[in-house]
Amino acid sequence: MPKIYVVDDSVSVRKAIERMLAPQGLQVSSFSSGREALTRIAAATPDLVICDLVLPDVDGFEICREVREMAGVATVPLLLISGIVDDEMRQQAVALGCGEILKKPFSGEELVARVAGLLAAPPLPPAPAAVLPYPPSPALRELLSRLEAVDGFRFALLASSSRQVLESIGDLPLGGDGAAAELAPLMTVAADAASQLGAGQLGGAILEGDNGTLLARQVEPGTTLVLGLHAAASLGKARFYLTRVQRALRERWRPGPALP
């Protein structure tokens, strides 16, 4: 009996998928967190993993990446599910060796057909080494440096959904690069929530604290531009400059191996 792992923080989604797949003679096990699922995948290889793109701890792309690096498990097929699906997300999934994304909401017939196709497919070849969507370069630093014109500028950085700081400039506090990089997976969660609640595509986010303000813009799915300010007095100008740099990043670089 084929063994299917379902990873989703929604109880209703997990139960719905189990109801769709159990009558097909499939053994379904469910997990509410990505880390728990990764531990079980490493210990007992499933025949297929169905994973939500947005999870509270690690996102679906990170799970794909880690599974592809696991000895003896790297060829397990993965099916991502998400409320937002576009061409850029599909490209990122393919680059990580996870070429299937199913858009929510989906019918039982759609899910069963995808699962049947993945279970019948030949094993995947080993995934190539991961390619950074925006490799560090003088040109990347030059783009970020444009944000220094904003009053109260403190720092700027580009972070990936796996909490990796790809490039940064300015006065980062001790350990601040990792803390600010947490905004990348949070932006993915916020974008999915905005879509589900009918707010459309997420434009950005602002976090205000006692010691400053953070502004974030999603450049590509899983890649976030973060601007740190000492104060929130110049938010209008900050948002204007952040939008210009976001647009420049999108125009100059695209995710994937074909990089300048």
Side-chain angles (χ1 to χ4, degrees), residues 142-191:
E142 188 277 327
L143 282 177
L144 291 182
S145 69
R146 299 179 188 181
L147 296 170
E148 291 178 320
V150 178
D151 296 337
F153 173 86
R154 187 180 181 189
F155 64 83
L157 60 84
L158 195 66
S160 72
S161 58
S162 59
R163 298 171 173 81
Q164 179 182 8
V165 174
L166 306 177
E167 188 61 271
S168 66
I169 62 168
D171 182 22
L172 280 169
L174 182 64
D177 54 346
E182 295 289 338
L183 278 180
L186 286 177
M187 286 289 285
T188 303
V189 173

Side-chain angles (χ1 to χ4, degrees), residues 69-115:
E69 294 176 354
M70 288 183 183
V73 186
T75 59
V76 170
L78 294 105
L79 172 62
L80 290 176
I81 55 177
S82 173
I84 301 174
V85 178
D86 57 29
D87 290 341
E88 292 172 353
M89 294 173 67
R90 291 189 181 95
Q91 292 171 10
Q92 187 170 356
V94 170
L96 290 170
C98 177
E100 292 278 348
I101 304 182
L102 182 60
K103 190 178 187 303
K104 298 179 187 177
F106 47 80
S107 67
E109 291 78 9
E110 289 176 299
L111 179 64
V112 169
R114 290 289 188 97
V115 169

